[in-house]
Amino acid sequence: MSSTTTAGTAPVGSGDVVVRLRGIGKTFPGVIANHDIDIEVRRGTIHAIVGENGAGKSTLMKILYGVQKPDSGTIEIDGEQVSFSSPSDAIAHGVGMVFQHFMLADNLTVLENVVLGAERLHGIGDAAREEIRRLSATYGLDIDPDDLVADLGVGARQRIEILKVLYRGARIIILDEPTAVLVPQEVEEMFDNLRGLKAEGLAVIFISHKLDEVLSVADTVTVVRRGTTVATLPGDSVTSRQLAELMVGSELPSPSTEASTVTDVEVLEVADLCLPDPAGGRPLLSDVSFAIHRGEILGIAGVEGNGQAELVESIMGMRPAATGRIELNDGDIAGWSTRRRREAGIGYIPEDRHRQGLLLDAPLWENRILGHQTRRPNVKGPFIDRAGARADTERIVEAYDVRTPGIDTLARALSGGNQQKLIVGREMSGEPSLLIAAHPTRGVDVGAQAAIWDHIKQARREGLAVLLISADLDELIGLSDTIKVLLRGRIVGTFDPARVTPQQLGSAMTGATEEETQS
Amino acid sequence: MTVATDPVAVAPAKSRFRLSWPWILLGIAGILVVMSLLRIVTGVDDLDSSGTIRATLIAAVPIGLAGLGGLWSERAGVVNIGLEGMMMLGTFGAGYFGYFYGPWQGVVGAILLGAAGGLLHAVATVYFGVDHIVSGVAINIIAAGAVQYLAGMAFTGVPGGGQTQSPPIDRLPSITISGLSEPLGEIERENWFVVSDAAAVLRALVTNMSVLTIIALALFVATWWLLWRTAFGLRLRSVGESPAAAESLGVNVYRYKFIAVITSGGLAGLAGGFLALVAANAFRDGQTGGRGYIGLAAMIFGNWRPGGLFAGSMLFGYTDTLRLRGGGETVHALLLLVAVFLVLLALWQWRQHGRRSALIAAVLGVVVAGIYMVSDQVPNELATMTPYLTTLLVLAVFSQNLRMPAADGKIYRKGSAG
């Protein structure tokens, strides 16, 4: 039975326990990813594992799939204790995994992708083709073995991933954040597929941090927080608020404790921002308008891929095709270059710190200069001011608690949380008037997350305007003064975080209810 | 984000062109008709005489084998610009083992030395993660130096040999079917439209055909079968398309990359061996003359597929042959074909891609036609450039429609999956 620190009733499963994890622990250098994990999964059920980003869900599933070996604890499959040293071992015991990022070769056909690595089962010819057609028909996956993967959409690719797992005879299927890349209709279709698998007697383990989705499909929910299981609950008698509280524990920042600091001085005004799709589809952004005032945090909620990244990049001047009015401190900045915008006082915490925020193979003090390469203390005249930049990097490391051996360390050597703290420190220097924070706590540990939240609150108190993009609804509700919901490139709702629930936001994000609440 | 992709709108995929036997035969017939017309219009008989075709085959085989090496390597995701160096090693291997032990031993030696070059490239790129281009260029430089040094050691003082070349090597057996060769020669001399041209092609195939040429042709078929019809080939190609996906399914990525690059080296070595044993009858320093690079270009022209590569190497082999045989006069006749080709291309571009590229092709076509009209011979200096100009022209035209293996040239680290 699960060791539960809060409420924990035994879920009434519909079958035998097929997976039993007991006391699983895994430590990486400097980070405890998992400890004392206890989970039981039953045949013919959908078992959701929920938790925040960085709570240790993915590590746990990699352990179950044999990608990583646990440091302690036992895994039992069908009552038999097993030890996996590679995914092949897991596959041999009927465990299959669908990764968050699709593992498909675009230029190969569906058939080739599916049979790869399992050529011994049915060969690579007509027998395999027949088997794929049979599986596709049995589980309603609607897959043609001779399509080229490059021609298929995201939903179909995910079904291929599921088919790959079924083809290998898996009876236990792990899905890692399967809905992150899907649009709402595709999510529904996928859930129907999952119910089909369940009806055939398979066990589905479903990892997510989107609570509404979890509740709509899961029979049992296990909550993971800071690397350990804190509760296992039946899916039909729990609310998403309860789950949210279990997920964040006492870490959930409470909006009521922060007095409003919103002033009536507009810092950023965006009017009628449009961005056409270069590929010719529907516009990435249409008629987005909003204003952020001094001391205000504006949160943008939305299912990933609904225009958040494009909005941020338009404001930063990285999308030349954007049209509309963007005013910073009452000056029109629409035609400005990204550098000029930054110099005018925009700080930017990018969504993907490895791709945009840092030079991973440069030392910290050089990373300090990035984006501030025209300003003191980094330059003197046309030259880089090494001493100035280094001294200021020391200041950031100190003030923002960046845990590093020194400022000559390469950025790559830091943990995600410390990398992010360095970026926050850098963007807060140079006296910005607007801070754009895109997923500021994505993939960082809980300690760093709290620290980054504190810095954002601090910035708000000091009179910055903050544009906060996040997939974590609790983060949005906890930090924001106003929340706007972006759906298919349009703002479809404005909410007061003091009164809105994650469910309401969730339904606005998926377009279930449009324009329902106005604050 | 790809989220917006509407699966319904994308699903009816455009039918992809597949090379099937009817198409191949139709293509061969088309080429015969065009060449026959060109021969009659220009009156240059050497354009497709059996001698030219035989020479084309001999020029094409090293390019094709090198390209086949490139294909193996790049299908597994390793760019192999070191083909040229591996060919050099092959020429020396053929020269050394061919002279001291016998021609068949020379073939084996060429393959082994080329494979050694491939092994070096594999260790550097796959195991140590060196940039593929850097490693390849280094191999070319090392091979050039090593071959000079080894040749000096091996052949100085040997009768007929010297610092830069080996003594003549015994010939590999070649096959002539005299019962067919003679009558086909008769037909060829009649200069009948198409019939004589077909006879010339057949005559080239049954006269004095080296065994190594037949082996090379068989290697094309074997490569196609291995890479596209076996589980081994699927795994090898998957490593070049998406190594992370392959690894997540239990494919040993490093092992397949090693096999591919070493095979690549072996094929490039055999290409070099062909130069020393069949095209010439001795090893000479600098014998490869950039054919490794042209092989790479032929592979790109062939869209990383054996059939296309074969066509590409024949094209380059043909232009190379014209340079060596008739020179100015034949190349001049070819200009007419190029002009017609460019005009046709312009028409096609107009429909497919838009006006600008069509206009460029049309203007070029007119210019080439003009040169054809006002001159009656291409200067020999220019004729020498034909193969290289063809390479540039062909790649410029076709590169828009090519698709290389998705993970080609990318360094993959074990354990990146998941």
PDB file of all heavy atoms in Angstrom, chain A residues 449-479:
ATOM      1  N   GLN A 449      12.760  27.179  -7.583  1.00  0.00           N
ATOM      2  CA  GLN A 449      11.448  27.673  -7.981  1.00  0.00           C
ATOM      3  C   GLN A 449      10.948  28.725  -6.982  1.00  0.00           C
ATOM      4  O   GLN A 449      10.549  29.819  -7.369  1.00  0.00           O
ATOM      5  CB  GLN A 449      10.489  26.488  -8.026  1.00  0.00           C
ATOM      6  CG  GLN A 449       9.131  26.810  -8.556  1.00  0.00           C
ATOM      7  CD  GLN A 449       8.284  25.564  -8.692  1.00  0.00           C
ATOM      8  OE1 GLN A 449       8.328  24.686  -7.830  1.00  0.00           O
ATOM      9  NE2 GLN A 449       7.532  25.489  -9.757  1.00  0.00           N
ATOM     10  N   ALA A 450      11.055  28.399  -5.704  1.00  0.00           N
ATOM     11  CA  ALA A 450      10.608  29.350  -4.687  1.00  0.00           C
ATOM     12  C   ALA A 450      11.416  30.631  -4.770  1.00  0.00           C
ATOM     13  O   ALA A 450      10.877  31.740  -4.670  1.00  0.00           O
ATOM     14  CB  ALA A 450      10.732  28.723  -3.298  1.00  0.00           C
ATOM     15  N   ALA A 451      12.737  30.493  -4.973  1.00  0.00           N
ATOM     16  CA  ALA A 451      13.594  31.672  -5.044  1.00  0.00           C
ATOM     17  C   ALA A 451      13.210  32.542  -6.235  1.00  0.00           C
ATOM     18  O   ALA A 451      13.136  33.770  -6.125  1.00  0.00           O
ATOM     19  CB  ALA A 451      15.054  31.236  -5.155  1.00  0.00           C
ATOM     20  N   ILE A 452      12.942  31.905  -7.386  1.00  0.00           N
ATOM     21  CA  ILE A 452      12.599  32.685  -8.579  1.00  0.00           C
ATOM     22  C   ILE A 452      11.258  33.378  -8.378  1.00  0.00           C
ATOM     23  O   ILE A 452      11.082  34.548  -8.736  1.00  0.00           O
ATOM     24  CB  ILE A 452      12.599  31.763  -9.817  1.00  0.00           C
ATOM     25  CG1 ILE A 452      14.041  31.349 -10.130  1.00  0.00           C
ATOM     26  CG2 ILE A 452      11.981  32.470 -11.018  1.00  0.00           C
ATOM     27  CD1 ILE A 452      14.153  30.220 -11.112  1.00  0.00           C
ATOM     28  N   TRP A 453      10.330  32.685  -7.739  1.00  0.00           N
ATOM     29  CA  TRP A 453       9.046  33.334  -7.430  1.00  0.00           C
ATOM     30  C   TRP A 453       9.277  34.573  -6.564  1.00  0.00           C
ATOM     31  O   TRP A 453       8.692  35.620  -6.792  1.00  0.00           O
ATOM     32  CB  TRP A 453       8.118  32.347  -6.704  1.00  0.00           C
ATOM     33  CG  TRP A 453       7.491  31.353  -7.625  1.00  0.00           C
ATOM     34  CD1 TRP A 453       7.376  31.450  -8.980  1.00  0.00           C
ATOM     35  CD2 TRP A 453       6.882  30.115  -7.267  1.00  0.00           C
ATOM     36  NE1 TRP A 453       6.738  30.356  -9.485  1.00  0.00           N
ATOM     37  CE2 TRP A 453       6.415  29.505  -8.457  1.00  0.00           C
ATOM     38  CE3 TRP A 453       6.680  29.445  -6.050  1.00  0.00           C
ATOM     39  CZ2 TRP A 453       5.766  28.287  -8.481  1.00  0.00           C
ATOM     40  CZ3 TRP A 453       6.032  28.221  -6.072  1.00  0.00           C
ATOM     41  CH2 TRP A 453       5.586  27.643  -7.275  1.00  0.00           C
ATOM     42  N   ASP A 454      10.151  34.418  -5.557  1.00  0.00           N
ATOM     43  CA  ASP A 454      10.431  35.561  -4.683  1.00  0.00           C
ATOM     44  C   ASP A 454      10.997  36.729  -5.472  1.00  0.00           C
ATOM     45  O   ASP A 454      10.628  37.883  -5.252  1.00  0.00           O
ATOM     46  CB  ASP A 454      11.425  35.154  -3.580  1.00  0.00           C
ATOM     47  CG  ASP A 454      10.714  34.446  -2.438  1.00  0.00           C
ATOM     48  OD1 ASP A 454       9.476  34.602  -2.350  1.00  0.00           O
ATOM     49  OD2 ASP A 454      11.386  33.753  -1.653  1.00  0.00           O
ATOM     50  N   HIS A 455      11.906  36.413  -6.411  1.00  0.00           N
ATOM     51  CA  HIS A 455      12.509  37.500  -7.184  1.00  0.00           C
ATOM     52  C   HIS A 455      11.467  38.195  -8.040  1.00  0.00           C
ATOM     53  O   HIS A 455      11.511  39.415  -8.207  1.00  0.00           O
ATOM     54  CB  HIS A 455      13.639  36.952  -8.058  1.00  0.00           C
ATOM     55  CG  HIS A 455      14.834  36.518  -7.263  1.00  0.00           C
ATOM     56  ND1 HIS A 455      15.448  37.328  -6.347  1.00  0.00           N
ATOM     57  CD2 HIS A 455      15.513  35.351  -7.241  1.00  0.00           C
ATOM     58  CE1 HIS A 455      16.449  36.683  -5.784  1.00  0.00           C
ATOM     59  NE2 HIS A 455      16.523  35.475  -6.305  1.00  0.00           N
ATOM     60  N   ILE A 456      10.542  37.417  -8.588  1.00  0.00           N
ATOM     61  CA  ILE A 456       9.528  38.044  -9.432  1.00  0.00           C
ATOM     62  C   ILE A 456       8.611  38.924  -8.584  1.00  0.00           C
ATOM     63  O   ILE A 456       8.266  40.033  -8.966  1.00  0.00           O
ATOM     64  CB  ILE A 456       8.732  36.959 -10.196  1.00  0.00           C
ATOM     65  CG1 ILE A 456       9.652  36.304 -11.230  1.00  0.00           C
ATOM     66  CG2 ILE A 456       7.510  37.565 -10.876  1.00  0.00           C
ATOM     67  CD1 ILE A 456       9.027  35.154 -11.971  1.00  0.00           C
ATOM     68  N   LYS A 457       8.279  38.433  -7.382  1.00  0.00           N
ATOM     69  CA  LYS A 457       7.448  39.255  -6.489  1.00  0.00           C
ATOM     70  C   LYS A 457       8.198  40.523  -6.091  1.00  0.00           C
ATOM     71  O   LYS A 457       7.620  41.611  -6.032  1.00  0.00           O
ATOM     72  CB  LYS A 457       7.090  38.463  -5.234  1.00  0.00           C
ATOM     73  CG  LYS A 457       6.063  37.380  -5.467  1.00  0.00           C
ATOM     74  CD  LYS A 457       5.670  36.809  -4.110  1.00  0.00           C
ATOM     75  CE  LYS A 457       5.257  35.358  -4.224  1.00  0.00           C
ATOM     76  NZ  LYS A 457       5.162  34.717  -2.908  1.00  0.00           N
ATOM     77  N   GLN A 458       9.481  40.361  -5.826  1.00  0.00           N
ATOM     78  CA  GLN A 458      10.319  41.499  -5.448  1.00  0.00           C
ATOM     79  C   GLN A 458      10.318  42.542  -6.579  1.00  0.00           C
ATOM     80  O   GLN A 458      10.157  43.741  -6.343  1.00  0.00           O
ATOM     81  CB  GLN A 458      11.748  40.994  -5.181  1.00  0.00           C
ATOM     82  CG  GLN A 458      12.775  42.061  -4.883  1.00  0.00           C
ATOM     83  CD  GLN A 458      12.507  42.712  -3.539  1.00  0.00           C
ATOM     84  OE1 GLN A 458      11.940  42.097  -2.635  1.00  0.00           O
ATOM     85  NE2 GLN A 458      12.901  43.981  -3.416  1.00  0.00           N
ATOM     86  N   ALA A 459      10.464  42.059  -7.805  1.00  0.00           N
ATOM     87  CA  ALA A 459      10.470  42.958  -8.956  1.00  0.00           C
ATOM     88  C   ALA A 459       9.162  43.736  -9.020  1.00  0.00           C
ATOM     89  O   ALA A 459       9.140  44.933  -9.309  1.00  0.00           O
ATOM     90  CB  ALA A 459      10.666  42.149 -10.239  1.00  0.00           C
ATOM     91  N   ARG A 460       8.084  43.051  -8.717  1.00  0.00           N
ATOM     92  CA  ARG A 460       6.780  43.700  -8.761  1.00  0.00           C
ATOM     93  C   ARG A 460       6.707  44.799  -7.707  1.00  0.00           C
ATOM     94  O   ARG A 460       6.243  45.908  -7.967  1.00  0.00           O
ATOM     95  CB  ARG A 460       5.721  42.627  -8.528  1.00  0.00           C
ATOM     96  CG  ARG A 460       4.325  43.085  -8.272  1.00  0.00           C
ATOM     97  CD  ARG A 460       3.447  41.836  -8.267  1.00  0.00           C
ATOM     98  NE  ARG A 460       2.101  42.097  -7.804  1.00  0.00           N
ATOM     99  CZ  ARG A 460       1.706  41.978  -6.547  1.00  0.00           C
ATOM    100  NH1 ARG A 460       2.575  41.666  -5.609  1.00  0.00           N
ATOM    101  NH2 ARG A 460       0.445  42.183  -6.222  1.00  0.00           N
ATOM    102  N   ARG A 461       7.211  44.487  -6.506  1.00  0.00           N
ATOM    103  CA  ARG A 461       7.190  45.498  -5.444  1.00  0.00           C
ATOM    104  C   ARG A 461       8.017  46.718  -5.835  1.00  0.00           C
ATOM    105  O   ARG A 461       7.703  47.836  -5.477  1.00  0.00           O
ATOM    106  CB  ARG A 461       7.740  44.903  -4.137  1.00  0.00           C
ATOM    107  CG  ARG A 461       6.714  44.123  -3.343  1.00  0.00           C
ATOM    108  CD  ARG A 461       7.161  43.918  -1.902  1.00  0.00           C
ATOM    109  NE  ARG A 461       8.347  43.073  -1.773  1.00  0.00           N
ATOM    110  CZ  ARG A 461       8.310  41.739  -1.777  1.00  0.00           C
ATOM    111  NH1 ARG A 461       7.152  41.110  -1.890  1.00  0.00           N
ATOM    112  NH2 ARG A 461       9.417  41.044  -1.667  1.00  0.00           N
ATOM    113  N   GLU A 462       9.098  46.467  -6.589  1.00  0.00           N
ATOM    114  CA  GLU A 462       9.950  47.591  -6.979  1.00  0.00           C
ATOM    115  C   GLU A 462       9.382  48.358  -8.159  1.00  0.00           C
ATOM    116  O   GLU A 462      10.020  49.265  -8.679  1.00  0.00           O
ATOM    117  CB  GLU A 462      11.352  47.079  -7.325  1.00  0.00           C
ATOM    118  CG  GLU A 462      12.140  46.672  -6.087  1.00  0.00           C
ATOM    119  CD  GLU A 462      13.385  45.883  -6.421  1.00  0.00           C
ATOM    120  OE1 GLU A 462      13.656  45.722  -7.638  1.00  0.00           O
ATOM    121  OE2 GLU A 462      14.066  45.447  -5.490  1.00  0.00           O
ATOM    122  N   GLY A 463       8.224  47.983  -8.611  1.00  0.00           N
ATOM    123  CA  GLY A 463       7.555  48.773  -9.635  1.00  0.00           C
ATOM    124  C   GLY A 463       7.792  48.312 -11.050  1.00  0.00           C
ATOM    125  O   GLY A 463       7.533  49.041 -12.001  1.00  0.00           O
ATOM    126  N   LEU A 464       8.299  47.085 -11.258  1.00  0.00           N
ATOM    127  CA  LEU A 464       8.407  46.584 -12.614  1.00  0.00           C
ATOM    128  C   LEU A 464       7.044  46.124 -13.122  1.00  0.00           C
ATOM    129  O   LEU A 464       6.189  45.744 -12.336  1.00  0.00           O
ATOM    130  CB  LEU A 464       9.362  45.378 -12.665  1.00  0.00           C
ATOM    131  CG  LEU A 464      10.788  45.660 -13.105  1.00  0.00           C
ATOM    132  CD1 LEU A 464      11.502  46.357 -11.973  1.00  0.00           C
ATOM    133  CD2 LEU A 464      11.477  44.372 -13.478  1.00  0.00           C
ATOM    134  N   ALA A 465       6.906  46.189 -14.403  1.00  0.00           N
ATOM    135  CA  ALA A 465       5.762  45.514 -15.018  1.00  0.00           C
ATOM    136  C   ALA A 465       6.257  44.143 -15.447  1.00  0.00           C
ATOM    137  O   ALA A 465       7.358  44.022 -15.976  1.00  0.00           O
ATOM    138  CB  ALA A 465       5.284  46.301 -16.229  1.00  0.00           C
ATOM    139  N   VAL A 466       5.486  43.101 -15.179  1.00  0.00           N
ATOM    140  CA  VAL A 466       5.949  41.749 -15.484  1.00  0.00           C
ATOM    141  C   VAL A 466       4.926  41.055 -16.378  1.00  0.00           C
ATOM    142  O   VAL A 466       3.726  41.073 -16.097  1.00  0.00           O
ATOM    143  CB  VAL A 466       6.148  40.908 -14.202  1.00  0.00           C
ATOM    144  CG1 VAL A 466       6.625  39.507 -14.553  1.00  0.00           C
ATOM    145  CG2 VAL A 466       7.130  41.589 -13.266  1.00  0.00           C
ATOM    146  N   LEU A 467       5.422  40.492 -17.474  1.00  0.00           N
ATOM    147  CA  LEU A 467       4.573  39.650 -18.314  1.00  0.00           C
ATOM    148  C   LEU A 467       4.988  38.210 -18.028  1.00  0.00           C
ATOM    149  O   LEU A 467       6.122  37.825 -18.289  1.00  0.00           O
ATOM    150  CB  LEU A 467       4.785  39.985 -19.794  1.00  0.00           C
ATOM    151  CG  LEU A 467       4.013  39.117 -20.790  1.00  0.00           C
ATOM    152  CD1 LEU A 467       2.519  39.326 -20.629  1.00  0.00           C
ATOM    153  CD2 LEU A 467       4.431  39.434 -22.213  1.00  0.00           C
ATOM    154  N   LEU A 468       4.092  37.433 -17.465  1.00  0.00           N
ATOM    155  CA  LEU A 468       4.425  36.080 -17.025  1.00  0.00           C
ATOM    156  C   LEU A 468       3.700  35.063 -17.893  1.00  0.00           C
ATOM    157  O   LEU A 468       2.472  35.073 -17.975  1.00  0.00           O
ATOM    158  CB  LEU A 468       4.022  35.906 -15.556  1.00  0.00           C
ATOM    159  CG  LEU A 468       4.174  34.500 -14.967  1.00  0.00           C
ATOM    160  CD1 LEU A 468       5.641  34.128 -14.858  1.00  0.00           C
ATOM    161  CD2 LEU A 468       3.512  34.420 -13.601  1.00  0.00           C
ATOM    162  N   ILE A 469       4.465  34.218 -18.570  1.00  0.00           N
ATOM    163  CA  ILE A 469       3.870  33.139 -19.347  1.00  0.00           C
ATOM    164  C   ILE A 469       4.148  31.856 -18.591  1.00  0.00           C
ATOM    165  O   ILE A 469       5.289  31.629 -18.190  1.00  0.00           O
ATOM    166  CB  ILE A 469       4.559  33.005 -20.735  1.00  0.00           C
ATOM    167  CG1 ILE A 469       4.778  34.353 -21.380  1.00  0.00           C
ATOM    168  CG2 ILE A 469       3.821  32.020 -21.609  1.00  0.00           C
ATOM    169  CD1 ILE A 469       3.638  34.914 -22.090  1.00  0.00           C
ATOM    170  N   SER A 470       3.166  31.032 -18.386  1.00  0.00           N
ATOM    171  CA  SER A 470       3.456  29.785 -17.688  1.00  0.00           C
ATOM    172  C   SER A 470       2.428  28.723 -18.045  1.00  0.00           C
ATOM    173  O   SER A 470       1.282  29.026 -18.351  1.00  0.00           O
ATOM    174  CB  SER A 470       3.460  30.024 -16.181  1.00  0.00           C
ATOM    175  OG  SER A 470       3.760  28.817 -15.523  1.00  0.00           O
ATOM    176  N   ALA A 471       2.891  27.481 -18.023  1.00  0.00           N
ATOM    177  CA  ALA A 471       1.970  26.370 -18.233  1.00  0.00           C
ATOM    178  C   ALA A 471       1.452  25.868 -16.889  1.00  0.00           C
ATOM    179  O   ALA A 471       0.546  25.055 -16.828  1.00  0.00           O
ATOM    180  CB  ALA A 471       2.681  25.243 -18.974  1.00  0.00           C
ATOM    181  N   ASP A 472       2.063  26.356 -15.824  1.00  0.00           N
ATOM    182  CA  ASP A 472       1.713  25.911 -14.485  1.00  0.00           C
ATOM    183  C   ASP A 472       0.630  26.848 -13.939  1.00  0.00           C
ATOM    184  O   ASP A 472       0.896  27.991 -13.575  1.00  0.00           O
ATOM    185  CB  ASP A 472       2.984  25.962 -13.627  1.00  0.00           C
ATOM    186  CG  ASP A 472       2.734  25.499 -12.211  1.00  0.00           C
ATOM    187  OD1 ASP A 472       1.550  25.398 -11.818  1.00  0.00           O
ATOM    188  OD2 ASP A 472       3.710  25.250 -11.488  1.00  0.00           O
ATOM    189  N   LEU A 473      -0.598  26.383 -13.906  1.00  0.00           N
ATOM    190  CA  LEU A 473      -1.711  27.256 -13.552  1.00  0.00           C
ATOM    191  C   LEU A 473      -1.585  27.791 -12.135  1.00  0.00           C
ATOM    192  O   LEU A 473      -1.950  28.921 -11.843  1.00  0.00           O
ATOM    193  CB  LEU A 473      -3.041  26.509 -13.715  1.00  0.00           C
ATOM    194  CG  LEU A 473      -3.360  26.093 -15.137  1.00  0.00           C
ATOM    195  CD1 LEU A 473      -4.770  25.535 -15.206  1.00  0.00           C
ATOM    196  CD2 LEU A 473      -3.207  27.244 -16.092  1.00  0.00           C
ATOM    197  N   ASP A 474      -1.070  26.974 -11.230  1.00  0.00           N
ATOM    198  CA  ASP A 474      -0.955  27.440  -9.852  1.00  0.00           C
ATOM    199  C   ASP A 474       0.054  28.561  -9.742  1.00  0.00           C
ATOM    200  O   ASP A 474      -0.111  29.492  -8.968  1.00  0.00           O
ATOM    201  CB  ASP A 474      -0.573  26.265  -8.948  1.00  0.00           C
ATOM    202  CG  ASP A 474      -1.683  25.226  -8.928  1.00  0.00           C
ATOM    203  OD1 ASP A 474      -2.839  25.625  -8.765  1.00  0.00           O
ATOM    204  OD2 ASP A 474      -1.387  24.045  -9.123  1.00  0.00           O
ATOM    205  N   GLU A 475       1.105  28.462 -10.545  1.00  0.00           N
ATOM    206  CA  GLU A 475       2.088  29.538 -10.560  1.00  0.00           C
ATOM    207  C   GLU A 475       1.432  30.826 -11.053  1.00  0.00           C
ATOM    208  O   GLU A 475       1.604  31.903 -10.477  1.00  0.00           O
ATOM    209  CB  GLU A 475       3.248  29.138 -11.486  1.00  0.00           C
ATOM    210  CG  GLU A 475       4.282  30.220 -11.696  1.00  0.00           C
ATOM    211  CD  GLU A 475       5.468  29.686 -12.484  1.00  0.00           C
ATOM    212  OE1 GLU A 475       6.339  29.065 -11.867  1.00  0.00           O
ATOM    213  OE2 GLU A 475       5.520  29.890 -13.718  1.00  0.00           O
ATOM    214  N   LEU A 476       0.643  30.716 -12.103  1.00  0.00           N
ATOM    215  CA  LEU A 476      -0.028  31.889 -12.655  1.00  0.00           C
ATOM    216  C   LEU A 476      -0.974  32.497 -11.640  1.00  0.00           C
ATOM    217  O   LEU A 476      -0.973  33.705 -11.401  1.00  0.00           O
ATOM    218  CB  LEU A 476      -0.827  31.493 -13.902  1.00  0.00           C
ATOM    219  CG  LEU A 476      -0.054  31.366 -15.207  1.00  0.00           C
ATOM    220  CD1 LEU A 476      -0.994  30.884 -16.289  1.00  0.00           C
ATOM    221  CD2 LEU A 476       0.547  32.693 -15.595  1.00  0.00           C
ATOM    222  N   ILE A 477      -1.771  31.641 -11.025  1.00  0.00           N
ATOM    223  CA  ILE A 477      -2.765  32.144 -10.077  1.00  0.00           C
ATOM    224  C   ILE A 477      -2.074  32.752  -8.868  1.00  0.00           C
ATOM    225  O   ILE A 477      -2.478  33.788  -8.346  1.00  0.00           O
ATOM    226  CB  ILE A 477      -3.718  31.003  -9.661  1.00  0.00           C
ATOM    227  CG1 ILE A 477      -4.542  30.574 -10.873  1.00  0.00           C
ATOM    228  CG2 ILE A 477      -4.603  31.420  -8.517  1.00  0.00           C
ATOM    229  CD1 ILE A 477      -5.385  29.356 -10.632  1.00  0.00           C
ATOM    230  N   GLY A 478      -0.976  32.124  -8.449  1.00  0.00           N
ATOM    231  CA  GLY A 478      -0.285  32.600  -7.260  1.00  0.00           C
ATOM    232  C   GLY A 478       0.395  33.939  -7.466  1.00  0.00           C
ATOM    233  O   GLY A 478       0.452  34.754  -6.558  1.00  0.00           O
ATOM    234  N   LEU A 479       0.933  34.168  -8.647  1.00  0.00           N
ATOM    235  CA  LEU A 479       1.771  35.346  -8.830  1.00  0.00           C
ATOM    236  C   LEU A 479       1.040  36.514  -9.480  1.00  0.00           C
ATOM    237  O   LEU A 479       1.348  37.667  -9.205  1.00  0.00           O
ATOM    238  CB  LEU A 479       2.987  34.993  -9.698  1.00  0.00           C
ATOM    239  CG  LEU A 479       4.049  34.082  -9.076  1.00  0.00           C
ATOM    240  CD1 LEU A 479       5.104  33.736 -10.103  1.00  0.00           C
ATOM    241  CD2 LEU A 479       4.686  34.735  -7.865  1.00  0.00           C
TER     242      LEU A 479
END
